[in-house]
Amino acid sequence: MTEEAVCVVICKSKRGQAQSIAEEICQQAAEHGFTADISCLSKHDKYNLDSESRPVVFVVSTTGDGDPPDTALKFVRKIKNKSLPHDHLSHLRYALLGLGDTNYANFCNGGKTIDSYLQKLGAKHFYATGHADDGTGLEVVVDPWIEGLWDALKKAFSTMSTSDQQTLSDCTQDSNHQNASDQKKNLEVDLQLLKLSEVDSPKGKTVTSDSIATEIGSTSSVASLKESVPPLSESVLNVPALPPSYLEILLVGTENVEETVLPDKDGYFEVPISKAVQLTQDDAVKTAILLELDISQQEQVYQPGDAFDILCPNRDSEVEELLLKLDLQMQKNCTVQVNLLKNTSKKAAKVPLHIPQNGSLQFILTWCLEIRSTPKKAFLRALVDFTQNASEKRRLLELCSKQGSADYNSFVRDSSVCVLDLLRAFPSCCPPLSLLFEHLPKLQPRAYSAASSSLQHPGKVHLVFNVVEFPARPEHPARKGLCTGWLVDHVSSILEPHGTALASERPGTSALPKVHVRARPSSTFHLPSDPCVPVVMVGPGTGVAPFIGFLQQREKEREANQEATFGEMWLFFGCRHKDKDFLFREELEKFVHNGTLSHLIVCFSRDEPDAAETVNRPTYVQHNLILHAKNLAKILLEDKGCLYVCGDAKNMAKDVNDTLLEIIGNELQLDKLDAMKIVAGLREDKRYLQDIWS
């Protein structure tokens, strides 16, 4: 069969998900008789859409603000150019897979933006656009979308060759119709049928239903990470193709270990933590910590609203256990050399840039690989071939199969299972080190909003975080969040109890704990350039952090310009208990007293109402927004003010957005659709801004 060529263009994200999906498409392309080339959207010398004759597949991620990634901004500006004719890309046939997260307001907006402008320039779909949701699991959409891609490509090529592209629009409609129908059926395309009686062990032994039953001994009536129940346990499985190996790892002794430096060292500075204070009572539901970093000796310039990236390591105990599970504890100080396998079939294979050459194995597992990441189905499939026990083998196949998607979501993705949890659950699995290096992503820095202004605290920056706690569950033991757990342990020697004044100084810096940080400027989440513009801030819990910086900045601006006019500042804050976790209470009340903060509106979700109260007390910030609906509508719609929201994306930010729609609809007597257009306009004008996390 003659191979047809496909161009795959990606918008890279920092997490590398678009890259890995594009690589998967290229890998599968060869199996379906196509050749595929990967190009990043920022690499304009690698592709030319103005003259591209091949079908193009776009894989586009989205930032938290709903914008395309930085790598796509120049391309988006180009296709937005109003001087381009409406048929500028009429020759282009493409498909687009957008990646997003429904926990954020502008779901898949990066992909939708590019899709829309391509259409306006005359480009045509040969396959319906897919929108994958990281909030529920990208693979739920990505896997069936890729499965259906190949038939759509074959039809596109067939149409192009038989009718000189004249009827490709019909093909597009048929493909779109077929895709919509197929998605309803989960795109039932067979990948690889594995019957229970045909699963082979690594030693060549054929594993039958009877032999598996013998090894299990009994059948559980409740599914778990380790075991399934009918009908899944009796099903024929469709599993993904085995991902090709592409790395060769050599451990060559300890004498050549180079002095290793932290990954991504460019732009990072090691700075002392000059202060650490617990902001909550000991009996609060969550423990909030404030860190003061001394950045006076570094070129770390920031504005309130910016964030700081912190490099954190994997926990020592987890690295040691992983080495033990891999039977590599005696080689942890060995030099690691990473090379490409000479005959790998992986398309565009390359040594991951985040893995240093000649570093020690312990250093790489500690600082370079995200060993807490949730394994993807391809990783589970690869682990099968290194698992000895037949029932464990079968269960791993189930978890990566199409039929086992519900179990995968429940026991792996939603349970935040990591590779170490899998090795605990399946003790006969002992993968080679190369498999971990191929499938574990880069250990990413964690970002925290600045909770200070450099005008108020020159040479310092404050960061605030809750210590994340993951309770024990059948899939894994209790554990703290990777970065917050490390930070609270890291500052234990200087941590001051709740109620300690921040103004107290600690002499000397030589013995202070240090961290590697890098400023992460925000492009939009700053105070308005015009100080007369009124500001509404919504920040429950640690979401108040950037607004402390806003208020410190405004306080200093007012002191320096006493004759100037400043717009009102409103803050809607919420927490569980007034006496346990009212963060920055004294400082906020001071801002109200000196006129910096015009209105402080608070609510306490777990406090019992007073007996004398005759009306229902507001529970959450959105309830207080409704109580001040007329003021909020006036500020946003008449006074052209700005609304800032910071905090949890999954619940709070969604509820605040819904409340805003309700307020605008009620105040302007609009239906929901028209209210949504008003809110979209606020976002477009950068007057409704979010700094949210999931």
Side-chain angles (χ1 to χ4, degrees):
M1 173 181 176
T2 301
E3 290 189 337
E4 302 281 8
V6 182
C7 178
V8 179
V9 180
I10 59 170
C11 289
K12 289 185 180 178
S13 62
K14 289 187 177 181
R15 294 173 63 188
Q17 292 172 312
Q19 173 80 31
S20 62
I21 291 169
E23 290 176 353
E24 175 66 20
I25 291 173
C26 285
Q27 182 62 39
Q28 290 193 31
E31 301 168 12
H32 290 273
F34 300 102
T35 60
D37 296 320
I38 297 181
S39 299
C40 179
L41 208 51
S42 61
K43 306 294 184 182
H44 306 287
D45 57 325
K46 301 294 185 182
Y47 68 95
N48 184 2
L49 295 187
D50 293 346
S51 59
E52 183 60 71
S53 60
R54 299 171 297 174
V56 177
V57 179
F58 292 90
V59 183
V60 183
S61 58
T62 299
T63 68
D65 295 326
D67 296 324
D70 292 343
T71 53
L73 294 181
K74 188 173 180 180
F75 174 78
V76 171
R77 285 196 296 270
K78 178 181 177 181
I79 61 176
K80 276 186 173 182
N81 189 336
K82 294 182 179 179
S83 66
L84 293 174
H86 64 85
D87 60 349
H88 181 69
L89 295 177
S90 60
H91 61 280
L92 184 66
R93 304 299 183 259
Y94 77 99
L96 188 144
L97 176 62
L99 312 181
D101 189 331
T102 48
N103 288 319
Y104 296 86
N106 294 323
F107 173 61
C108 276
N109 197 57
K112 291 175 181 177
T113 297
I114 290 175
D115 202 9
S116 172
Y117 281 97
L118 290 175
Q119 292 278 296
K120 289 178 180 178
L121 293 175
K124 295 182 176 63
H125 292 119
F126 71 82
Y127 185 43
T129 297
H131 296 131
D133 180 13
D134 201 24
T136 58
L138 293 174
E139 69 282 347
V140 174
V141 169
V142 170
D143 290 351
W145 191 88
I146 294 177
E147 289 176 21
L149 175 64
W150 313 118
D151 282 344
L153 273 170
K154 290 172 185 175
K155 287 188 177 182
F157 278 117
S158 174
T159 304
M160 291 167 70
S161 61
T162 58
S163 61
D164 195 28
Q165 304 185 21
Q166 195 168 12
T167 60
L168 188 57
S169 59
D170 295 333
C171 170
T172 303
Q173 295 174 2
D174 292 344
S175 177
N176 288 349
H177 176 75
Q178 178 189 1
N179 184 61
S181 175
D182 286 348
Q183 284 185 347
K184 292 179 181 178
K185 301 175 182 177
N186 291 323
L187 287 168
E188 295 290 345
V189 180
D190 289 341
L191 291 178
Q192 182 180 357
L193 294 177
L194 286 171
K195 295 185 178 179
L196 183 58
S197 60
E198 296 174 350
V199 180
D200 295 329
S201 74
K203 295 180 180 179
K205 171 187 173 185
T206 299
V207 182
T208 64
S209 305
D210 292 340
S211 65
I212 289 181
T214 300
E215 290 197 42
I216 295 175
S218 62
T219 302
S220 171
S221 59
V222 179
S224 67
L225 176 63
K226 299 180 182 181
E227 295 184 25
S228 63
V229 296
L232 179 59
S233 61
E234 299 170 352
S235 297
V236 173
L237 302 177
N238 299 73
V239 304
L242 181 66
S245 298
Y246 66 96
L247 292 181
E248 177 185 53
I249 309 298
L250 299 177
L251 301 177
V252 295
T254 60
E255 62 277 2
N256 295 321
V257 175
E258 296 182 359
E259 182 179 350
T260 45
V261 294
L262 292 179
D264 268 357
K265 63 183 183 302
D266 294 337
Y268 284 92
F269 295 91
E270 187 178 43
V271 300
I273 303 174
S274 53
K275 201 174 283 116
V277 179
Q278 183 171 316
L279 299 181
T280 49
Q281 296 279 11
D282 290 340
D283 59 348
V285 175
K286 294 183 178 180
T287 300
I289 305 291
L290 178 142
L291 303 183
E292 180 181 82
L293 309 186
D294 184 347
I295 58 174
S296 58
Q297 303 303 311
Q298 313 298 340
E299 299 176 2
Q300 298 274 2
V301 179
Y302 74 97
Q303 299 181 58
D306 291 345
F308 278 77
D309 285 334
I310 291 183
L311 291 180
C312 68
N314 291 307
R315 296 191 75 84
D316 289 342
S317 60
E318 294 176 12
V319 171
E320 289 296 326
E321 186 179 356
L322 183 57
L323 287 165
L324 181 64
K325 294 288 186 185
L326 299 174
D327 197 23
L328 292 171
Q329 65 271 37
M330 301 302 294
Q331 297 163 277
K332 64 183 181 182
N333 295 319
C334 286
T335 301
V336 177
Q337 294 182 357
V338 187
N339 302 301
L340 283 179
L341 284 175
K342 292 182 179 179
N343 298 318
T344 181
S345 60
K346 180 178 174 63
K347 188 77 173 178
K350 59 184 179 180
V351 174
L353 296 177
H354 57 274
I355 301 177
Q357 291 287 4
N358 298 321
S360 72
L361 176 57
Q362 185 168 35
F363 176 84
I364 292 171
L365 292 179
T366 301
W367 287 100
C368 305
L369 300 176
E370 186 101 42
I371 66 175
R372 284 270 193 97
S373 64
T374 300
K376 298 185 183 300
K377 288 185 176 182
F379 193 7
L380 298 182
R381 174 64 188 90
L383 289 174
V384 171
D385 285 11
F386 301 97
T387 303
Q388 301 297 316
N389 180 276
S391 59
E392 293 178 11
K393 234 173 136 63
R394 165 70 191 195
R395 184 55 175 154
L396 286 170
L397 286 169
E398 290 171 348
L399 290 170
C400 71
S401 70
K402 182 187 297 184
Q403 291 76 9
S405 290
D407 276 19
Y408 173 84
N409 288 336
S410 178
F411 301 121
V412 179
R413 196 185 74 85
D414 296 344
S415 301
S416 298
V417 158
C418 66
V419 63
L420 190 53
D421 300 322
L422 290 178
L423 297 181
R424 291 175 185 138
F426 305 104
S428 77
C429 180
C430 188
L433 193 59
S434 59
L435 200 67
L436 272 65
F437 280 34
E438 290 169 356
H439 288 274
L440 290 177
K442 171 185 172 184
L443 179 56
Q444 296 285 356
R446 271 52 173 176
Y448 298 93
S449 299
S452 56
S453 164
S454 58
L455 296 181
Q456 187 86 273
H457 299 279
K460 306 290 176 62
V461 63
H462 293 172
L463 308 178
V464 178
F465 61 89
N466 283 326
V467 180
V468 178
E469 302 274 358
F470 296 102
R473 53 188 303 160
E475 295 81 17
H476 63 70
R479 54 195 178 209
K480 290 184 172 69
L482 185 62
C483 191
T484 62
W486 174 70
L487 284 172
V488 74
D489 291 344
H490 197 49
V491 301
S492 59
S493 62
I494 65 168
L495 183 62
E496 301 285 353
H498 174 260
T500 303
L502 292 177
S504 60
E505 289 294 331
R506 180 178 292 274
T509 61
S510 59
L512 293 175
K514 295 178 172 62
V515 290
H516 285 81
V517 299
R518 176 181 65 186
R520 179 191 278 190
S522 170
S523 60
T524 57
F525 203 84
H526 296 139
L527 282 169
S529 56
D530 181 357
C532 295
V533 173
V535 168
V536 177
M537 302 167 287
V538 182
T542 56
V544 75
F547 305 135
I548 297 299
F550 280 17
L551 291 164
Q552 290 178 1
Q553 183 92 354
R554 180 56 56 87
E555 182 181 48
K556 286 297 183 182
E557 290 172 346
R558 284 165 52 89
E559 290 175 1
N561 301 277
Q562 296 186 15
E563 303 302 319
T565 301
F566 292 87
E568 283 192 331
M569 298 191 79
W570 291 62
L571 174 63
F572 290 84
F573 174 79
C575 61
R576 291 175 176 82
H577 300 283
K578 181 177 181 179
D579 297 327
K580 295 181 181 181
D581 53 5
F582 190 164
L583 307 184
F584 300 102
R585 178 177 179 178
E586 293 79 7
E587 190 168 6
L588 289 172
E589 290 174 346
K590 182 199 73 172
F591 289 138
V592 173
H593 181 72
N594 65 27
T596 302
L597 182 58
S598 312
H599 302 275
L600 174 61
I601 315 296
V602 298
C603 56
F604 310 103
S605 61
R606 304 283 178 88
D607 280 345
E608 294 293 330
D610 296 333
E613 289 185 274
T614 58
V615 296
N616 291 332
R617 173 189 291 178
T619 305
Y620 300 112
V621 287
Q622 62 267 25
H623 300 146
N624 268 328
L625 290 174
I626 291 175
L627 293 179
H628 295 84
K630 290 190 179 298
N631 291 318
L632 183 62
K634 180 179 183 298
I635 289 171
L636 294 179
L637 304 177
E638 296 180 24
D639 301 336
K640 306 302 180 184
C642 295
L643 172 64
Y644 299 84
V645 180
C646 182
D648 167 51
K650 191 172 184 179
N651 298 306
M652 183 277 298
K654 280 186 175 181
D655 292 338
V656 168
N657 189 75
D658 291 343
T659 300
L660 181 60
L661 289 171
E662 179 183 341
I663 288 172
I664 289 176
N666 291 339
E667 294 301 316
L668 297 182
Q669 297 297 299
L670 300 174
D671 60 24
K672 187 173 182 178
L673 181 59
D674 288 334
M676 290 173 68
K677 292 178 181 178
I678 298 290
V679 170
L682 293 175
R683 292 185 186 276
E684 184 74 20
D685 295 340
K686 305 300 181 186
R687 294 198 295 114
Y688 176 16
L689 298 162
Q690 295 178 310
D691 178 7
I692 56 179
W693 56 84
S694 56

